[in-house]
């Protein structure tokens, strides 16, 4: 089992390269969230999906960032033309919508990105 | 203004003692939820405990309890009988009725043997 998994766990890339991260949520969860966490800060919301629909995007999500969840299961987060400021931990979380305010998000181990 | 304030950047506590991690929040909503997560050095965010704004009793989960003082907008985490494995970052978070969670900046807890 069957917690949230993320791949890769670590990624080192050169500035200007594109990177793609994958998140596999808990299987029965219909919501999937992406967060970014920089050193010394709490996670910051980027975007989320309910099934395959992307319902909200933060203004932190510049046009170099794109996220998909094509079949309502796994999701990918792509960063194009990476910049050094993109270096952070990218966290994925999933939840089951029907619990209202009691909906709890369960997080994956994160992908740590370093842009050189 | 910050939605979630954690005023203790770091704390040192002797093993087996109880510890209280402070959290205050700012919202004008009547309906909201409060969460605490633990983040060990491995990076994974581990859900600890949840308190709904309408819950009359303080939430408890094993050694974790949430001291919820609604009028003061305070949601402190209490860890009883601390263990070395409790050393980690702890984040307080809130959902206001939307779907995303807003996190505080965290408190780093060090448990001393």
């Amino acid at each position: 089992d069957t917690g949230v998994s993320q791949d890769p766990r670590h990624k080192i890339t050169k500035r200007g390269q594109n990177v793609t991260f994958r998140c596999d949520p808990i299987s029965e969860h219909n919501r999937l969230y992406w967060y970014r966490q920089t050193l010394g800060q709490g996670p910051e919301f980027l975007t989320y999906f309910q099934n395959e629909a992307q319902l909200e995007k933060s203004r932190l999500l510049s046009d170099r960032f794109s996220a998909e969840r094509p079949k309502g299961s796994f999701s990918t987060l792509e960063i194009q033309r990476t910049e050094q400021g993109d270096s952070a931990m990218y966290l994925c979380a999933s939840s089951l919508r029907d619990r209202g305010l009691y909906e709890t998000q369960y997080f994956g181990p994160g992908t740590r990105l370093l842009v050189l | 203004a910050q939605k979630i304030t954690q005023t203790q950047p770091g704390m040192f506590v002797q093993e087996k003692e109880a510890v209280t991690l402070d959290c205050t929040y700012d919202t004008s909503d009547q309906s909201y939820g409060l969460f605490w997560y633990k983040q060990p050095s491995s990076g994974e965010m581990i859900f600890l405990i949840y308190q709904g704004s309408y819950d009359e009793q303080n939430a408890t989960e094993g050694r974790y309890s949430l001291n919820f003082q609604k009028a003061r907008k305070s949601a402190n985490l209490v860890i009883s009988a601390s263990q070395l494995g409790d050393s980690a970052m702890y984040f307080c978070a809130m959902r206001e009725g939307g779907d995303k969670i807003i996190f505080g900046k965290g408190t780093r807890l060090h448990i001393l043997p």
Side-chain angles (χ1 to χ4, degrees):
Chain A
D1 175 59
T2 86
V4 179
S5 61
Q6 293 186 245
D7 184 68
R9 295 291 306 277
H10 302 273
K11 179 71 177 179
I12 300 175
T13 191
K14 294 182 179 178
R15 190 176 53 186
Q17 298 293 304
N18 298 343
V19 294
T20 300
F21 310 142
R22 176 176 169 130
C23 171
D24 287 88
I26 294 171
S27 58
E28 65 268 26
H29 284 183
N30 53 6
R31 286 201 161 181
L32 187 149
Y33 298 78
W34 285 100
Y35 291 84
R36 181 173 69 187
Q37 185 179 22
T38 54
L39 209 57
Q41 303 293 320
E44 296 174 294
F45 169 79
L46 291 178
T47 188
Y48 86 96
F49 295 83
Q50 179 161 314
N51 301 312
E52 65 276 9
Q54 188 173 18
L55 296 187
E56 187 176 347
K57 294 197 294 186
S58 162
R59 58 185 169 78
L60 293 175
L61 212 67
S62 77
D63 56 6
R64 296 185 298 106
F65 288 71
S66 62
E68 294 183 343
R69 193 182 184 200
K71 296 182 180 178
S73 56
F74 73 91
S75 175
T76 57
L77 178 68
E78 181 182 17
I79 310 175
Q80 296 182 326
R81 305 181 302 281
T82 52
E83 301 173 356
Q84 288 180 327
D86 298 330
S87 296
M89 173 82 92
Y90 290 83
L91 292 162
C92 175
S94 71
S95 67
L96 190 57
R97 174 66 184 107
D98 66 357
R99 302 214 62 208
L101 269 183
Y102 290 84
E103 176 189 335
T104 295
Q105 295 178 19
Y106 295 91
F107 283 78
T111 294
R112 198 177 293 275
L113 173 67
L114 178 61
V115 181
L116 301 176
Chain B
Q2 286 189 21
K3 289 280 189 177
I4 298 287
T5 302
Q6 296 181 252
T7 57
Q8 306 150 311
M11 288 186 68
F12 290 83
V13 173
Q14 207 68 40
E15 189 182 8
K16 299 182 186 176
E17 290 185 352
V19 57
T20 298
L21 304 181
D22 295 342
C23 173
T24 56
Y25 58 92
D26 180 23
T27 182
S28 54
D29 285 5
Q30 295 300 310
S31 182
Y32 53 89
L34 297 158
F35 302 81
W36 277 91
Y37 284 85
K38 172 184 178 182
Q39 188 176 42
S41 55
S42 58
E44 184 171 356
M45 298 284 287
I46 301 167
F47 167 72
L48 296 179
I49 196 166
Y50 170 83
Q51 179 86 41
S53 58
Y54 295 119
D55 294 341
E56 294 183 352
Q57 304 238 349
N58 286 343
T60 60
E61 289 285 349
R63 293 187 299 114
Y64 303 108
S65 60
L66 201 152
N67 184 1
F68 180 46
Q69 298 187 40
K70 195 169 181 177
R72 296 180 58 190
K73 294 188 177 177
S74 165
N76 297 341
L77 177 70
V78 180
I79 306 174
S80 63
S82 58
Q83 302 171 356
L84 295 178
D86 294 334
S87 294
M89 283 290 287
Y90 288 81
F91 291 96
C92 180
M94 177 174 65
R95 175 189 291 118
E96 289 180 284
D99 299 301
K100 62 179 182 263
I101 291 177
I102 300 167
F103 287 83
K105 292 190 174 184
T107 295
R108 183 169 293 282
L109 177 63
H110 303 268
I111 305 298
L112 304 173

